[in-house]
Amino acid sequence: MQDQWTVYGTALSSRLFMGSALFPSPQVMADSVRASGAEVVTLSLRRQSPETGAGQAIWDYIRALDCRLLPNTAGCHTAREAVTLARMSREIFATDWVKLEVIGDDYNLQPDPFGLVEAADELIRDGFKVFPYCTDDLVLCRRLLDVGCEVLMPWGAPIGTGKGLVNPHALATLRERLPDVPLIIDAGIGKPSDAVQALEMGFDGILLNTAVAQSTDPVTMARAFAGAVESGRLAHHGGVMPERQTAQPSTPTVGTPFWHENP
Amino acid sequence: MEHVGIAGAGLVGRLMAWRLLREGCRVTLFDKNDRHSRDNAGLTAAAMLAPYSEVVRGERIVFDLGRASLETWPRWLAELEADTGEAVFYRRQGSLIVAHPRDEADLERFERQLRHKVVPQPGAVERVGPDRLAALEPQLAGRFRHGLFLRDEGQLANDQLFAALERALLGKGCDWREGVRVERVEPGCLVTGRGPQRFDTVVDARGLGLRAEDRRLRGVRGEVLWVEAPEVSLDRPVRLMHPRYQLYIAPRPGNLYIIGATEIESDDLGPLTVRSGLELMSALYSVHPGFGEARVVHTRAHCRPAFMDNLPRIESGEGRMRVNGLYRHGYLTAPALLEDALGLLAGKPAGEAAYPELVHGGA
C-alpha cells in the first residue's frame, strides 16, 4: 500500500523513527535500524563533548546508515541548554531538524512544558524544524503549534518505561482535536501491540528506542515492530469496527428457530 | 631465536611480550609513554572477570572467552608469581547484582537476557532474597529485597598486574623502548620517529593508538572513582541496576573500592566530569551509607578501543599481527584471546584457533 506522509515538507514512507542509544553495539544498532525499515534515526550529542568532536566515530557510523538524522537534546534541563545543543547539532549534522527535549523531572524524564515552549519558540525563529517531545496535554500541544511546530511528539508513557499508552483517553482527544497535525508517539512504547494500538488510533508514527535496544534480540524485535506499525496503519485505513456490549453473530440468524435463540 | 617487535605496552602488549619471552623469543616493546604511565585504558578498568554479567549486553562469544579466561588466569598468575616473587590479587568469590525497589524491572530484564543467551551451569546464577543476601554480604543486609548471585565470577587487581608484568618483562630481558611512538606497522617492521625497526614478526597492540589509521575503531569512554571506605566491607563485586547504566563496585585490599559504570560514545580523554562523578557517587552512597565518609583516592577516565560490533579482533598477516578492540572486556577475554594469537604466531593455521570467528586475515 502506497502510504506516504509528510513532516516539514519531507515525504516519508516508514512510520517508524528509531533511536540509536542503548544498543549492545553500534553494529546491532545499525542492523536493527535496517530491520525496522525506519527512515529517520535520532541521536544524542549531550554527553559526547560535541564542541571537541570526540564522538566523531559513532556519528560517522550513524550517518552511513543513510537515514534522515534527527538530533535530540536529551539530557537538557533548561530551554537555554537545549537551544545551545540544538545549534551545535545543526552544525555537526548539517540538518535543521531537531527533536526537542527539555526535561523537567530526572527520574521520569518527564518533559518540562514551560521550558519546551520557550525553547521551541526560539529555535523556530532561528529556522529550526522542531519535533517537540511533549506530554499528552492538549493545551501544551496547542501552545507548541502556536509557536510554529508542525509536528508533535506526545509521550505514550515516560521514556524507557515500556508501559505503552498509559492515557489512551488523552491521546484520543489529541488525535481528535488536532486532526491535521502529524502526531508521533514518542516514548513509553514497550511492545509491538502498543505500536499497533497507536497506529490504529490514527497516530502518524511512533519513535522507538528502549523497546528495541534493550530487548533480548534487538534485530528480531525491530522486525516485529516494523510489522506492528504496518498492521496498525492498515487497521486505521481499514476502519476498526466499533465495540458493542452484546454479542452479534457473524452469521445471520434469520433461519434459526426462535426456540433455539438465547433469551 | 625469533625476535618479535610489539607496539603498545598496554594490557595486550604486556601480556603478549611476557608470554613470548617465556616461550624463548626476544622481545622489543615500544610505547609512546614511559612504563609507569597511567595513560592507558587497562589501568582505568576495574578488572572484573564477569562473563555472566557482561553477556547480558554482549555477544555469546564474550561469555565463552570469559569462561575460558577464568580458567587461564590462575595459571598465568601463578607463573607470574614464579617470575617475580610477588602475588597479584585475584579473587573468585562470585558477584552480586542488586537493584533498588523501583529499578527491580531492570534486574528482572538482566536475568531474563542472561538466561536467554546462556544456559548457566547449575547454581551459577542464583536468585537471592534478603536472608541469602545478608549471608553473602552482611553489610548489605536489609538494604535490598532481591538480587542475583553469580557464583563463578571473579576479579583481579589490574594495577598490581601491570606492575608485576613490568617486573617480569625487565627480569626476562625485554628491550623496553619507553617514550617511542610507533607511527606505522608494516610486515616485520615497526616505523618510529627514528625510522624503520626490523623484526622477524611484529605485533600491533596499540589500542586506541590505531584509531588515526583505522576508522573502524572508536573510543568508548569510561570513568572510575577509587575510594577508601573504612566503614564498608564487601567481599565481592556488587553491581547496581539503574535505569541508564549499571554501577559496579569492585573491592580491593585495604578497604579500597573501584566504582565505575559510565560508557560514553566518545574519544574524549579528559578528566572525570562532574555529572559522571555525581551519578557514580550518589549511586555508591545509595548502596551503603558508609560510603558517605569514604575518601576519594583518585578518579580516572580513559577510552576503551572498540570496533563497531564491540568484539575483539586478531588480524593476522605475513610478518605481522594486530590484536585490538577488547572494548570493556580486556581482563575478561585477554588470556583466551591471546592464546589464539600466540598459536597463530607459532604457525598454527587460523582454522585451528579456538575462536576462529575472531581471526581475520590481512593485518
Side-chain angles (χ1 to χ4, degrees):
Chain A
M1 181 178 65
Q2 202 56 27
D3 181 32
Q4 284 208 333
W5 60 305
T6 306
V7 287
Y8 286 109
T10 297
L12 299 172
S13 335
S14 164
R15 290 178 176 272
L16 244 173
F17 286 24
M18 276 280 278
S20 55
L22 300 172
F23 281 90
S25 72
Q27 172 94 57
V28 174
M29 181 270 294
D31 293 345
S32 303
V33 170
R34 285 191 202 101
S36 75
E39 296 165 306
V40 178
V41 173
T42 68
L43 73 175
S44 163
L45 281 188
R46 183 76 176 101
R47 301 219 56 201
Q48 294 173 341
S49 324
E51 59 289 349
T52 65
Q56 198 65 48
I58 194 75
W59 302 337
D60 288 347
Y61 193 72
I62 296 174
R63 274 197 196 103
L65 286 170
D66 222 14
C67 287
R68 204 164 235 289
L69 299 184
L70 178 56
N72 69 34
T73 60
C76 292
H77 290 77
T78 64
R80 180 100 333 266
E81 276 178 274
V83 167
T84 308
L85 190 62
R87 289 190 175 131
M88 244 183 258
S89 300
R90 177 163 66 178
E91 261 176 41
I92 291 170
F93 298 110
T95 176
D96 50 12
W97 282 23
V98 63
K99 188 191 148 201
L100 183 62
E101 292 185 29
V102 182
I103 298 304
D105 179 87
D106 229 4
Y107 216 90
N108 265 349
L109 297 175
Q110 178 161 346
D112 171 352
F114 309 98
L116 189 64
V117 174
E118 185 190 335
D121 187 23
E122 185 167 347
L123 288 170
I124 285 164
R125 285 171 202 275
D126 196 11
F128 278 92
K129 298 183 167 65
V130 174
F131 295 68
Y133 165 55
C134 52
T135 58
D136 50 23
D137 185 280
L138 175 65
V139 179
L140 166 63
C141 288
R142 282 224 192 96
R143 293 280 180 277
L144 288 165
L145 297 171
D146 289 346
V147 299
C149 292
E150 293 180 19
V151 177
L152 299 175
M153 302 186 80
W155 68 356
I159 295 179
T161 57
K163 284 186 178 295
L165 310 183
V166 289
N167 191 345
H169 172 73
L171 288 171
T173 305
L174 275 190
R175 182 68 290 178
E176 193 186 315
R177 299 292 294 277
L178 307 171
D180 302 320
V181 179
L183 297 177
I184 301 165
I185 298 291
D186 179 5
I189 301 278
K191 46 193 190 302
S193 53
D194 301 332
V196 176
Q197 187 190 0
L199 273 289
E200 273 173 6
M201 287 171 72
F203 286 94
D204 297 275
I206 58 164
L207 188 148
L208 283 176
N209 194 339
T210 315
V212 174
Q214 305 257 310
S215 66
T216 305
D217 179 351
V219 179
T220 301
M221 191 54 86
R223 285 176 46 211
F225 271 105
V229 164
E230 196 191 338
S231 169
R233 185 66 191 165
L234 284 171
H236 177 65
H237 280 303
V240 179
M241 63 163 276
E243 282 180 37
R244 53 196 313 148
Q245 288 309 319
T246 54
Q248 261 219 328
S250 46
T251 311
T253 53
V254 181
T256 310
F258 67 87
W259 60 93
H260 286 177
E261 296 237 27
N262 287 327
Chain B
M1 181 166 48
E2 193 167 9
H3 190 183
V4 182
I6 299 178
L11 176 64
V12 170
R14 278 175 204 231
L15 281 173
M16 282 291 267
W18 174 58
R19 297 313 294 177
L20 288 166
L21 284 164
R22 286 186 67 97
E23 287 174 13
C25 294
R26 262 180 77 198
V27 174
T28 304
L29 178 61
F30 295 82
D31 196 273
K32 65 182 195 299
N33 299 313
D34 72 56
R35 61 181 200 272
H36 305 299
S37 167
R38 298 215 147 273
D39 173 17
N40 191 304
L43 282 173
T44 306
M48 286 183 298
L49 309 172
Y52 289 95
S53 302
E54 292 297 329
V55 79
V56 169
R57 304 266 299 131
E59 307 272 340
R60 166 72 200 215
I61 195 164
V62 170
F63 176 80
D64 296 335
L65 286 162
R67 292 268 307 167
S69 296
L70 269 169
E71 304 310 317
T72 308
W73 273 121
R75 185 161 46 84
W76 280 17
L77 293 178
E79 290 169 0
L80 192 57
E81 188 174 351
D83 286 349
T84 62
E86 281 178 52
V88 171
F89 170 84
Y90 167 84
R91 286 274 169 80
R92 199 170 165 190
Q93 298 176 328
S95 57
L96 263 179
I97 319 293
V98 294
H100 290 301
R102 63 177 164 181
D103 299 322
E104 275 172 7
D106 293 305
L107 184 67
E108 192 190 312
R109 178 163 62 197
F110 184 96
E111 184 184 358
R112 203 185 325 141
Q113 297 195 344
L114 197 171
R115 290 186 187 277
H116 177 83
K117 288 189 180 167
V118 301
V119 178
Q121 293 183 318
V125 176
E126 181 191 342
R127 254 186 233 191
V128 293
D131 295 345
R132 178 83 167 118
L133 241 159
L136 287 164
E137 291 292 349
Q139 285 210 331
L140 297 184
R143 305 199 62 81
F144 298 96
R145 292 190 299 202
H146 306 288
L148 276 184
F149 177 50
L150 306 176
R151 181 195 63 197
D152 296 337
E153 298 195 333
Q155 59 170 146
L156 58 80
N158 45 339
D159 47 343
Q160 291 180 15
L161 178 72
F162 264 55
L165 285 168
E166 178 191 321
R167 277 195 301 279
L169 293 181
L170 296 175
K172 289 188 174 296
C174 175
D175 177 9
W176 197 322
R177 310 277 178 90
E178 298 174 59
V180 181
R181 184 187 292 273
V182 171
E183 279 152 16
R184 251 185 6 264
V185 177
E186 292 171 359
C189 179
L190 298 177
V191 182
T192 71
R194 291 180 206 142
Q197 322 270 323
R198 308 222 163 264
F199 301 92
D200 299 317
T201 306
V202 297
V203 176
D204 183 353
R206 285 177 293 167
L208 210 54
L210 183 66
R211 167 128 172 83
E213 285 164 49
D214 190 338
R215 304 302 284 180
R216 298 169 307 164
L217 197 69
R218 71 193 206 283
V220 181
R221 182 176 157 92
E223 295 149 308
V224 297
L225 293 174
W226 283 62
V227 303
E228 187 186 355
E231 294 175 33
V232 183
S233 106
L234 298 175
D235 277 336
R236 47 181 67 72
V238 174
R239 283 183 197 237
L240 175 70
M241 294 290 140
H242 180 283
R244 291 187 290 288
Y245 49 76
Q246 292 163 25
L247 174 105
Y248 57 77
I249 304 172
R252 291 293 163 82
N255 289 99
L256 283 172
Y257 296 87
I258 304 177
I259 295 89
T262 56
E263 198 166 330
I264 303 168
E265 288 288 344
S266 169
D267 289 341
D268 175 25
L269 294 170
L272 178 81
T273 62
V274 169
R275 187 193 170 104
S276 294
L278 281 170
E279 287 182 344
L280 293 178
M281 286 190 219
S282 68
L284 183 63
Y285 183 65
S286 78
V287 169
H288 193 284
F291 281 117
E293 295 306 316
R295 304 277 176 187
V296 178
V297 181
H298 49 236
T299 69
R300 288 185 191 152
H302 214 281
C303 290
R304 309 130 168 143
F307 292 104
M308 290 301 172
D309 57 5
N310 290 345
L311 291 179
R313 291 172 75 88
I314 298 174
E315 293 178 6
S316 178
E318 194 57 37
R320 64 174 163 173
M321 170 180 284
R322 178 185 283 165
V323 181
N324 210 326
L326 276 69
Y327 178 49
R328 53 182 285 149
H329 300 136
Y331 297 91
L332 178 67
T333 63
L337 188 70
L338 295 193
E339 289 202 320
D340 265 356
L342 291 160
L344 291 164
L345 282 179
K348 214 165 141 180
E352 286 175 28
Y355 307 95
E357 57 271 59
L358 302 179
V359 180
H360 307 266

